[in-house]
Amino acid sequence: MPSSLSDTGAPASPRPVHVIEASTRPVIDLAQLWAYRELLYFLVWRDLKVRYRQTLLGVAWAVLQPLAGTAVFTLVFGRLVGVPSEGAPYALFVLCGLVPWTFFARGLTNMTGSLVSSQDLVKRVYFPRLAIPLAAVGSCLVDLAVGLGLVLLAILATGHAPSAQVLLLPVVLVVLLAVLVGLGLILAAVNARYRDVGHLVPMGLQILLFLTPVVYPGSLLPASWRLVYGLNPMVGVVEGFRWCLLGTPLDPALAIGSAAIGAVLLAAGLAVFARAEKTFADVV
């Protein structure tokens, strides 16, 4: 093949080629992720647009979903079964549990399938793959903010005032994010190779909902069960939410246990994801 010529007739110099390779480090390269922060922003924006595109109510669904769940649970467990609510109105008690649970369930579902649903992007160009599951969580943060605003309005509408420990709510949010991101990264990495995980997650979330004190107080369980019960990190998170917003009792051991499990899950999730990252383009 003859080489191409420049305008002057001399052979044209080859264009420089910049090769971007995946990191070979065994841990997540946070500096590289920060360099791609604009991509992360656009992925979050893309997910939000896809979720609410061609809907009549738009982001109002973030309000209607916890309200509908609160109405059903209040009728069944509050009125018919008579489940106690530790001094708070039962509807408010359930709403304070549903908002963090809905964020966790939706975020975990989105993170698990995020790599598979973005397989065309993963196969064509290199960028930190961590941006994809993190964007799946970022789009859910909007719904969480709307849900928290709804809870505060409900507290004020029922004549209550947020307790002083509401200032510690950001700490509970950090624990919730650690649990969600850690578990979500593990499931996303495994689901890229074994799609069975994507089918198991919705079923597991339905079971976990009733193993988490969303519609009942954790104090109903006998003391001998609380150690095993506390292995579910969402127990401390949900009860922490209520303690911050309604002033209901909180078992410090459960709260510390949830924070410790969240830290372990986050470290494990980052390690598993970093180890599997180089294979995603081949298996998704």
Side-chain angles (χ1 to χ4, degrees):
M1 293 289 293
S3 59
S4 59
L5 300 178
S6 65
D7 295 340
T8 60
S13 58
R15 293 180 178 180
V17 177
H18 181 59
V19 178
I20 303 175
E21 296 181 339
S23 173
T24 57
R25 298 174 60 181
V27 296
I28 294 293
D29 190 342
L30 295 180
Q32 191 181 50
L33 180 65
W34 175 252
Y36 283 83
R37 59 189 180 278
E38 289 190 10
L39 173 65
L40 178 60
Y41 167 77
F42 283 112
L43 289 176
V44 171
W45 183 244
R46 179 202 64 175
D47 289 349
L48 277 173
K49 289 178 66 176
V50 169
R51 183 184 307 164
Y52 294 116
R53 185 172 56 193
Q54 294 182 314
T55 61
L56 294 177
L57 301 180
V59 75
W61 283 111
V63 175
L64 292 176
Q65 289 177 350
L67 281 181
T70 299
V72 172
F73 286 137
T74 299
L75 176 64
V76 175
F77 294 100
R79 296 291 179 86
L80 299 181
V81 181
V83 173
S85 56
E86 297 183 325
Y90 187 81
L92 194 56
F93 177 87
V94 170
L95 183 61
C96 282
L98 270 180
V99 168
W101 172 260
T102 304
F103 170 71
F104 172 77
R106 180 175 295 161
L108 194 66
T109 303
N110 290 351
M111 287 185 75
T112 300
S114 59
L115 290 172
V116 175
S117 61
S118 300
Q119 56 182 291
D120 289 341
L121 193 60
V122 171
K123 289 181 177 179
R124 290 182 179 178
V125 61
Y126 175 75
F127 58 91
R129 307 309 192 210
L130 185 61
I132 294 178
L134 288 186
V137 177
S139 61
C140 295
L141 285 173
V142 176
D143 294 347
L144 177 63
V146 173
L148 285 175
L150 176 65
V151 170
L152 290 175
L153 285 176
I155 291 174
L156 296 176
T158 53
H160 292 73
S163 55
Q165 50 263 35
V166 71
L167 298 176
L168 294 177
L169 187 60
V171 178
V172 183
L173 287 173
V174 169
V175 176
L176 172 58
L177 282 173
V179 173
L180 171 58
V181 172
L183 190 56
L185 289 179
I186 294 173
L187 294 176
V190 178
N191 186 59
R193 184 175 292 274
Y194 305 104
R195 307 294 166 81
D196 309 75
V197 177
H199 298 282
L200 287 173
V201 166
M203 182 172 63
L205 285 171
Q206 289 181 0
I207 298 172
L208 195 62
L209 169 63
F210 292 99
L211 297 178
T212 303
V214 175
V215 298
Y216 60 89
S219 58
L220 283 182
L221 270 77
S224 57
W225 284 73
R226 293 186 69 79
L227 179 60
V228 177
Y229 188 56
L231 293 177
N232 172 10
M234 286 302 293
V235 171
V237 169
V238 170
E239 292 205 333
F241 257 75
R242 290 201 185 101
W243 177 73
C244 290
L245 294 169
L246 302 179
T248 54
L250 174 66
D251 186 340
L254 285 180
I256 295 172
S258 293
I261 293 174
V264 171
L265 280 175
L266 182 59
L270 290 171
V272 168
F273 198 89
R275 187 178 180 85
E277 184 177 12
K278 289 186 294 185
T279 66
F280 289 153
D282 298 323
V283 299
V284 294

